[in-house]
Amino acid sequence: MARSVCAGAWLRKPHYLQARLSYMRVKYLFFSWLVVFVGSWILYVQYSTYTELCRGKDCKKIICDKYKTGVIDGPACNSLCVTETLYFGKCLSTKPNNQMYLGVWDNLPGVVKCQMEQAPHLDFGTDLEPRKEIVLFDKPTRGTTVQKFKEMVYSLFKAKLGDQGNLSELVNLILTVADGDRDGQVSLGEAKSAWALLQLNEFLLMVILQDKEHTPKLMGFCGDLYVMESVEYTSLYGISLPWVMELFIPSGFRRSMDQLFTPSWPRKAKIAIGLLEFVEDVFHGPYGNFLMCDTSAKNLGYNEKYDLKMVDMRKIVPETNLKELIKDRHCESDLDCVYGTDCRTSCDLSTMKCTSEVIQPNLAKACQLLKDYLLHGAPGEIREELEKQLYSCIALKITANQMEMEHSLILNNLKTLLWKKISYTNDS
């Protein structure tokens, strides 16, 4: 009897195992299909985002239509629209309205930028209006003399930069840049292109700082599309991953990877010195002060010699222009008084209006960015002093007494400390 019971149990065991295996297969298949479904959905969403961000063909079509109908002109127009020796490569756009591509122009590498919508005039919170093609290149009008155009440009600069004594020199410089074919005259098409470009802070800054080491050189333009000098490394950190891989990397691990793939410390110090020098360039430059309103690693790059080069300067704005537009803005807290990510003023709760004074100077923002970058792997003999100077720099406030003197002292001390350490190294 007992033997028959044991035999029955033994015979039932394979059926149990088969049922168990079938359940495991179903479970495995279910989770496999779930992973495939979720992965496909993520890829679809990201691809849709990519196609929305990267609209180079649309940009080229709009520009070339205007060029072929004689509305605009510029040194890049023929190469872009006729001979097609200027073409777009890898898409670097982060916003649909600001198209940014690695490109090649007559076998020379460059960065191509194009506005798919009207340039935002420091709009603090409202959505950008769609590009109004009818009025985008509506100025100057036919019949405008060169003298009248110069007056238009002068008035624009006065509004953007304040009443600087040397604005006339800048106007003449703009006319030289606008004369793309170098025939000594600015045609109506060239003037329309120049006027559209002057609404963009980055273009204006490139012209103002064209002789400075850390500002990319302007190669050419067509309408409000322009080509600037290429930068070999387009981020402060030396690694960029495909967007698909970025999805699955935790932010903490990504920060560790960033530090792992940076250049050697002496080379990082040289890049940091370049950023400090750029801060000097925009701090009380020849045409007033500019404010760095998005000081992030993705906006900075460097070349093969580890000289810093700015990659994106679209959020570097004239101080006068920013103050004029933010003052008296309605606010309920300091969070309502921010432009970009880094230009903050305070909210006057008695009047519920934003004040016009930006709280943190450019140097403090640069030091905040450089803190982790420089302290990671810093030589032990200077680490303590470097950390002390960086924190003193981060604590800088525009409202502090003798801010300009303190600003210059901290900046020079940091540069001196770094240069002394790397002056005799091969990496520098």
Side-chain angles (χ1 to χ4, degrees):
M1 184 72 177
R3 185 179 300 173
S4 63
V5 171
C6 291
W10 182 82
L11 289 171
R12 286 196 300 271
K13 196 172 182 180
H15 294 290
Y16 170 78
L17 288 174
Q18 287 179 353
R20 179 72 176 171
L21 288 172
S22 298
Y23 170 75
M24 292 295 291
R25 288 194 191 99
V26 171
K27 187 177 179 181
Y28 173 77
L29 287 172
F30 172 76
F31 281 107
S32 297
W33 280 109
L34 183 63
V35 168
V36 170
F37 173 77
V38 172
S40 300
W41 180 80
I42 291 174
L43 290 173
Y44 170 75
V45 170
Q46 291 298 318
Y47 177 75
S48 299
T49 303
Y50 178 85
T51 55
E52 176 67 19
L53 284 176
C54 301
R55 302 163 60 192
K57 290 183 179 180
D58 296 337
C59 177
K60 179 179 178 180
K61 183 178 186 305
I62 292 171
I63 292 295
C64 290
D65 286 348
K66 296 294 184 183
Y67 170 64
K68 290 174 180 178
T69 54
V71 176
I72 59 175
D73 202 355
C77 291
N78 188 66
S79 299
L80 178 69
C81 305
V82 180
T83 63
E84 296 190 350
T85 53
L86 168 58
Y87 56 89
F88 299 175
K90 179 182 177 181
C91 176
L92 303 176
S93 306
T94 57
K95 291 185 178 179
N97 58 302
N98 293 320
Q99 293 295 292
M100 181 175 173
Y101 282 81
L102 293 179
V104 177
W105 185 6
D106 290 337
N107 297 320
L108 293 176
V111 176
V112 184
K113 296 189 178 182
C114 178
Q115 311 307 305
M116 287 301 296
E117 297 173 358
Q118 284 194 329
H121 298 286
L122 301 185
D123 196 352
F124 296 82
T126 57
D127 293 332
L128 297 176
E129 295 181 10
R131 178 175 182 146
K132 300 174 183 175
E133 295 181 40
I134 297 175
V135 298
L136 179 60
F137 301 110
D138 62 335
K139 293 180 181 179
T141 56
R142 187 172 298 278
T144 301
T145 63
V146 172
Q147 183 59 36
K148 178 62 177 176
F149 181 59
K150 290 174 70 173
E151 291 172 4
M152 289 171 57
V153 175
Y154 185 92
S155 297
L156 176 66
F157 287 165
K158 189 172 181 179
K160 276 180 170 281
L161 305 174
D163 197 6
Q164 306 286 330
N166 53 353
L167 288 183
S168 296
E169 296 176 11
L170 183 56
V171 172
N172 291 331
L173 179 59
I174 290 297
L175 262 64
T176 301
V177 173
D179 182 17
D181 56 9
R182 300 290 184 266
D183 64 352
Q185 297 178 335
V186 179
S187 67
L188 181 61
E190 290 172 335
K192 285 179 180 289
S193 293
W195 182 257
L197 287 166
L198 288 176
Q199 314 307 311
L200 309 175
N201 291 313
E202 181 174 57
F203 180 84
L204 176 59
L205 196 59
M206 272 197 298
V207 174
I208 291 175
L209 301 179
Q210 62 179 340
D211 296 326
K212 299 297 184 179
E213 178 184 1
H214 306 295
T215 306
K217 301 295 183 282
L218 177 68
M219 296 172 65
F221 61 87
C222 181
D224 61 353
L225 175 148
Y226 55 100
V227 187
M228 53 196 285
E229 175 188 7
S230 177
V231 180
E232 185 169 354
Y233 300 97
T234 55
S235 177
L236 195 60
Y237 297 97
I239 183 172
S240 61
L241 298 173
W243 57 268
V244 176
M245 294 181 65
E246 293 278 9
L247 293 174
F248 302 102
I249 298 178
S251 58
F253 183 66
R254 182 67 168 109
R255 285 193 294 270
S256 299
M257 286 181 60
D258 285 341
Q259 292 292 356
L260 184 63
F261 287 93
T262 53
S264 65
W265 191 86
R267 288 170 172 170
K268 288 196 295 184
K270 185 179 181 184
I271 294 167
I273 290 169
L275 178 57
L276 297 175
E277 290 173 346
F278 180 77
V279 169
E280 285 184 292
D281 291 340
V282 298
F283 181 69
H284 292 322
Y287 302 102
N289 189 20
F290 282 74
L291 299 174
M292 300 170 68
C293 295
D294 186 3
T295 316
S296 57
K298 70 180 187 301
N299 293 334
L300 313 175
Y302 54 93
N303 60 20
E304 66 281 355
K305 296 181 179 179
Y306 299 93
D307 297 316
L308 177 105
K309 292 287 185 180
M310 299 302 295
V311 173
D312 194 337
M313 302 187 295
R314 284 177 288 198
K315 287 294 176 69
I316 302 178
V317 300
E319 182 179 25
T320 301
N321 198 16
L322 179 65
K323 284 184 174 182
E324 187 65 29
L325 288 164
I326 199 173
K327 73 175 184 179
D328 300 329
R329 174 179 170 79
H330 176 75
C331 63
E332 295 181 1
S333 71
D334 290 349
L335 296 176
D336 297 320
C337 303
V338 181
Y339 174 68
T341 57
D342 297 324
C343 285
R344 304 171 182 273
T345 72
S346 56
C347 179
D348 186 345
L349 295 178
S350 62
T351 61
M352 306 297 284
K353 301 289 185 181
C354 292
T355 60
S356 61
E357 291 298 325
V358 176
I359 296 170
Q360 198 176 32
N362 292 334
L363 182 58
K365 303 167 196 173
C367 288
Q368 181 67 55
L369 176 64
L370 292 174
K371 178 172 68 70
D372 292 337
Y373 190 69
L374 284 177
L375 291 179
H376 183 81
E381 60 269 24
I382 69 163
R383 181 183 173 85
E384 184 177 348
E385 178 62 22
L386 178 61
E387 187 173 13
K388 178 182 174 182
Q389 290 196 25
L390 284 170
Y391 276 106
S392 297
C393 176
I394 293 168
L396 272 174
K397 301 291 182 185
I398 284 182
T399 54
N401 293 330
Q402 298 181 322
M403 192 279 294
E404 290 191 23
M405 184 181 298
E406 190 176 1
H407 180 286
S408 299
L409 183 63
I410 289 175
L411 191 148
N412 288 328
N413 285 344
L414 262 174
K415 285 174 60 179
T416 301
L417 178 66
L418 295 173
W419 268 126
K420 278 185 177 179
K421 189 60 187 173
I422 69 171
S423 292
Y424 302 105
T425 64
N426 293 330
D427 284 340
S428 67

